Amino acid sequence: MSGVCREVVTLQLGHYSNFVGTHWWNLQDASLSYDPESPSAEVQSDVLFREGQTLGGHVTYTPRLISMDLKGSLRTLPQEGSLYDPGAGASAVTWEGSINMHKQSPPEKNSFLEDLEKLDKGEILTKADFCSSSKLQHSGAVSVDTFNSHLARVQNYKLEGSVRVWSDFLRIHLHPRTISVIHQYNHDGEAHRLETFGQGESLLQGALLEELEDKLHFFVEECDYLQGFQVLCDLADGFVGLGSKVTELLQDSYGGRGILTWGMTPVRHRDPTPFRDLCRLLNCSLGMVHMAAHSSLFCPLTLQGGLGRRPTSPPQFPLLTYDVTVCHKDRPSGPFLAFSPSLWYHSSSVLALALDALTVSYRLRNNSVPMWQVADLLAVSGRKVVAAYGAIPFPMMSGGSLPDALSACADALPWKPLSACPEAGQGQCYGQLTTLKGFEGQKLISCLSPGIKPPTPLHSLHSGEDVLAAYVSSFYPSAPLALQLVSSPSKLTPPFPQIFSQSLDAQGFLRSEAPPPGALGPVISSVPVMTSLQSGPALDPWLSELHRATSAFDIRRVAPSFLSQGPEMAEYQEALEELRLLARCYRDDSSGVMRSSSEEEDDD
């Protein structure tokens, strides 16, 4: 089906969610196309973006987005954005008494933001002073062709040492109604921190509730065919309580619309202490229960090895230059950048690439799968929690074919956990949505000459859908499976970090010949990505372990302050019981394996 734009409103709640969201919106901005015949028009940008006009008459194209963060989290970004002049039309000051003026120097902008400001002012940048890409502002100042010509001539930024908040690498303009700042809590410092579920839950009342309802009304009212909301919410701090209330509000106010919620957790948290580690475990458990209940679908996204107090090492992605401890290493040709999952700027970029593929099914121009269909496919029998997996990038040889690439992964699936939930490994799944995005220019089937015997069964199939379905079904023989193949890739433009293996070419495909030792690889401009959303028995031990870890101590003795602003003790115990029952929903009792009485007693 084509021709109908089913709009989506996005909400980003919390600092790490805004990190992921910023990379994700940068990816959407890089793929914008106004030509419906263009290959990149495969994805319908109007699902996410809205057209408007500034007071000066400039046409704007901004995200249909509501973003919440704490006081001090914006640095150089004005809360109202920079498309409009907030001082225009302000009345003159008529006070005649004495005035004491306190002047504070604004935070310094990094080189990327400085270049954006120059382009906004219409200044012509040379290669010498335009050391990297800048964003298309969608305000008429810079054309797409001019913007892309700059991209082709410049090197990439190295922002690892200068990114402190998400606005330090934001490419796009935001609508004046997008950002809400929560002034009761600080982004930095030890005082007034938003750390517990109860703190966040108590926020959505009074002025903040009125502000959110007003912004929702503004963005929803202009939609013709609203399909729903996608919510990115921090899972480990107090924003999870706010997110629980926000999803409840959406469910009550917009019944029948899809609500897909993504719980975001970084690998390393700021200023860890034993109490904060305990709070994060409790927040994850309570947030999982409440947001799953109020959403059509809930999926945690993290590069952590687990959501407990002692997570294992992050998953290893073979085509990322991965380093869990430092960001720079030395080699004969000089220092190079290694991927550090503990660095928010890095880990959020990987999750944004995954999210680009995970959400593309309901953003397509043709043959889209609306949010509610995605939920119906995966949330079987009320199982609303799902796990995500991804191959980032998907290992496909340049000039090769999809059967070649999948045959090279015949022994094990190419994807890694993106929800801290290992696959069960028994080929059982209640529902699965697998997406391959970014194979543009590559062959989906094998083109063998007549009389040549196919090297594998995959090489004998006649469509990309059949090839991918046969491959996934070889690991999950009886699982319901939905597939999405999208040709256009995720386009990487600065300031996306260059964290990829040198064995890739500029389009993110494997090179046929390894680069010489010490040689620098090309700047990666796009990558293919494969993702899988799954609901299956693997979630039973994962959720059960989260329940056991949360129930292993007396919260009134170990962390009494956690409940000081809610929930009540009875509500807390009820949430833990709901978590236990949620885990049981994913138990596979069809395997014929007898469970011991002690196992049953542990569960009960």
Side-chain angles (χ1 to χ4, degrees), residues 59-376:
V59 175
T60 63
Y61 207 46
T62 54
R64 198 175 291 109
L65 168 68
I66 299 172
S67 169
M68 291 187 175
D69 215 328
L70 304 180
K71 182 173 64 175
S73 63
L74 301 181
R75 291 195 78 237
T76 62
L77 179 67
Q79 182 175 342
E80 301 81 8
S82 53
L83 279 178
Y84 294 76
D85 179 9
S91 59
V93 177
T94 57
W95 173 255
E96 296 181 356
S98 61
I99 297 176
N100 293 325
M101 182 174 292
H102 301 274
K103 188 174 181 181
Q104 183 177 7
S105 299
E108 290 186 5
K109 293 185 176 182
N110 59 39
S111 55
F112 171 71
L113 295 180
E114 288 176 349
D115 284 348
L116 293 185
E117 187 175 18
K118 291 177 182 178
L119 278 182
D120 257 354
K121 293 178 179 178
E123 297 180 17
I124 302 299
L125 303 178
T126 66
K127 186 173 181 179
D129 64 3
F130 195 89
C131 58
S132 179
S133 159
S134 175
K135 67 183 175 183
L136 173 62
Q137 302 288 355
H138 308 301
S139 60
V142 185
S143 71
V144 175
D145 291 339
T146 300
F147 181 68
N148 288 336
S149 69
H150 282 306
L151 287 180
R153 294 190 294 114
V154 297
Q155 299 294 323
N156 281 279
Y157 288 102
K158 302 293 189 296
L159 297 183
E160 282 70 19
S162 63
V163 168
R164 299 177 184 174
V165 298
W166 51 269
S167 61
D168 286 338
F169 57 97
L170 180 69
R171 281 170 51 102
I172 61 176
H173 273 310
L174 301 177
H175 190 273
R177 291 180 182 259
T178 282
I179 298 176
S180 292
V181 175
I182 298 171
H183 292 279
Q184 294 97 312
Y185 295 100
N186 294 325
H187 170 66
D188 290 315
E190 290 296 315
H192 305 292
R193 294 174 64 117
L194 183 61
E195 293 184 320
T196 67
F197 181 91
Q199 288 176 310
E201 199 176 32
S202 63
L203 279 173
L204 200 63
Q205 56 184 318
L208 185 63
L209 175 59
E210 292 178 6
E211 181 182 351
L212 174 61
E213 291 177 329
D214 178 64
K215 291 183 176 185
L216 283 170
H217 180 74
F218 173 79
F219 286 116
V220 169
E221 188 180 50
E222 62 186 12
C223 297
D224 295 323
Y225 301 97
L226 176 70
Q227 62 171 305
F229 305 85
Q230 54 185 15
V231 181
L232 282 62
C233 181
D234 284 8
L235 191 57
D237 59 22
F239 271 102
V240 73
L242 176 62
S244 298
K245 283 297 185 182
V246 168
T247 50
E248 182 180 5
L249 172 67
L250 295 177
Q251 186 184 53
D252 293 342
S253 303
Y254 303 96
R257 309 296 184 183
I259 304 172
L260 302 191
T261 302
W262 309 90
M264 302 292 177
T265 305
V267 172
R268 179 176 297 173
H269 300 273
R270 296 183 300 124
D271 307 325
T273 66
F275 174 73
R276 288 170 186 158
D277 290 342
L278 182 60
C279 285
R280 289 170 189 129
L281 171 65
L282 299 172
N283 288 331
C284 285
S285 299
L286 295 176
M288 190 93 64
V289 169
H290 287 274
M291 289 196 287
H294 301 141
S295 304
S296 309
L297 209 64
F298 176 80
C299 179
L301 283 182
T302 182
L303 294 186
Q304 271 191 323
L307 295 180
R309 298 174 68 182
R310 295 176 180 85
T312 58
S313 299
Q316 296 291 317
F317 294 88
L319 295 179
L320 298 180
T321 52
Y322 214 105
D323 184 3
V324 299
T325 54
V326 297
C327 298
H328 293 85
K329 286 186 173 182
D330 292 328
R331 63 180 179 188
S333 60
F336 77 101
L337 190 65
F339 171 55
S340 174
S342 63
L343 193 67
W344 285 23
Y345 176 56
H346 282 181
S347 63
S348 60
S349 71
V350 176
L351 294 182
L353 277 174
L355 194 64
D356 193 30
L358 290 167
T359 61
V360 74
S361 59
Y362 54 83
R363 299 187 285 115
L364 294 175
R365 189 175 299 275
N366 299 307
N367 302 314
S368 67
V369 182
M371 281 183 166
W372 55 85
Q373 289 187 18
V374 174
D376 287 346

Side-chain angles (χ1 to χ4, degrees), residues 386-460:
V386 297
Y389 305 86
I392 307 170
F394 174 64
M396 193 171 188
M397 187 70 67
S398 178
S401 67
L402 182 58
D404 293 335
L406 295 177
S407 297
C409 306
D411 296 331
L413 289 158
W415 52 60
K416 304 294 182 182
L418 296 174
S419 300
C421 178
E423 287 185 280
Q426 293 146 6
Q428 297 168 324
C429 199
Y430 306 132
Q432 182 174 179
L433 172 61
T434 298
T435 301
L436 174 60
K437 186 177 188 297
F439 55 84
E440 190 173 75
Q442 308 301 305
K443 298 187 290 290
L444 291 179
I445 60 174
S446 179
C447 300
L448 297 174
S449 301
I452 302 297
K453 182 180 179 180
T456 71
L458 297 178
H459 289 79
S460 64

